[in-house]
Amino acid sequence: MDLAYVCEWEKWPKSTHCPSVPLACAWSCRNLIAFTTDLRNDDQDLTRLIHILDTEHPWDAHSVSSEHSEAITCLEWDQSGSRLLSADANGQIKCWSMAAHLANSWESSVGSLVEGDPIVALSWLHNGVKLALHVEKSGASSFGEKFSRVKFSPSLTLFGGKPMEGWIAVTVSGLVTVSLLKPSGQVLTSTESLLCGGLWRRMPLSCP
């Protein structure tokens, strides 16, 4: 048998970026994609990175150091697509928001912690509003014609019926933690176990 041809692939320079394990990814209603990688330096130390990519400008991704000590296990956008939750294998949850409404500038000022217990599921509390697609008008050019706001009961409410903002998370050992964002910026957190009838409680919620 004679050799017919040889394929030689171009060798790319070795990168210090490597996929995080597990890889976390989330897509927002603003067409922003968040995903994770790990950056390894010369001393083999890892930096957990979160990348924000606008699908309309995919060549201009923005990266932030998450400062998570363990692998990021979950990413979750809020209903507006302007805030992002990140959770890790040490039970730390961070809330990221746009600085000055810019998609290339993110900061984290609040969060919660279930120390030492990996987060396996994460979700924002619903604000009671969702968009419904009118299939019969899917070809319309106007956003208002294609979609309408459908109201239903929010997850939690303040006095007066205003939706309460926050998130809910589940850990690998079966703990459920709920964190509420008060208008003052304070975070109230309560944690209960799905096991043993929910007898274990970290801290009661109170919303004066």
Side-chain angles (χ1 to χ4, degrees):
M1 182 178 294
D2 296 329
L3 178 65
Y5 58 87
V6 176
C7 292
E8 293 186 1
W9 299 97
E10 181 180 356
K11 294 183 178 180
W12 293 85
K14 185 177 180 180
S15 174
T16 53
H17 286 271
C18 56
S20 58
V21 180
L23 175 68
C25 183
W27 197 320
S28 80
C29 63
R30 295 190 178 195
N31 278 338
L32 297 177
I33 298 176
F35 63 97
T36 59
T37 63
D38 296 335
L39 177 63
R40 192 184 301 275
N41 62 18
D42 295 335
D43 296 326
Q44 301 302 306
D45 296 326
L46 285 180
T47 300
R48 317 286 181 182
L49 297 176
I50 299 176
H51 308 277
I52 309 293
L53 184 146
D54 187 345
T55 56
E56 296 182 4
H57 307 280
W59 54 85
D60 190 19
H62 179 69
S63 303
V64 294
S65 174
S66 68
E67 299 182 359
H68 281 284
S69 60
E70 297 293 336
I72 298 173
T73 56
C74 300
L75 292 175
E76 184 73 17
W77 290 99
D78 71 348
Q79 289 87 359
S80 69
S82 59
R83 290 182 300 180
L84 178 70
L85 292 175
S86 61
D88 67 21
N90 193 43
Q92 185 179 36
I93 301 173
K94 291 189 173 190
C95 178
W96 300 86
S97 57
M98 290 183 182
H101 305 285
L102 297 175
N104 61 354
S105 181
W106 296 83
E107 57 187 6
S108 174
S109 57
V110 296
S112 59
L113 177 66
V114 187
E115 190 170 358
D117 211 351
I119 304 294
V120 294
L122 182 65
S123 179
W124 286 89
L125 299 179
H126 209 285
N127 60 6
V129 177
K130 65 179 180 179
L131 292 177
L133 171 65
H134 300 290
V135 179
E136 68 278 4
K137 297 182 179 179
S138 59
S141 58
S142 171
F143 181 87
E145 291 183 22
K146 289 192 291 186
F147 297 93
S148 63
R149 291 181 177 268
V150 179
K151 291 188 176 182
F152 58 100
S153 297
S155 302
L156 290 171
T157 59
L158 294 166
F159 294 111
K162 184 178 179 180
M164 188 77 178
E165 294 187 317
W167 55 84
I168 182 170
V170 180
T171 71
V172 71
S173 67
L175 297 180
V176 177
T177 178
V178 177
S179 299
L180 302 181
L181 290 172
K182 296 183 67 175
S184 62
Q186 181 184 3
V187 179
L188 300 176
T189 300
S190 177
T191 304
E192 289 194 7
S193 176
L194 292 173
L195 308 175
C196 303
L199 297 178
W200 189 88
R201 179 184 290 267
R202 176 70 58 84
M203 187 182 82
L205 285 175
S206 58
C207 300

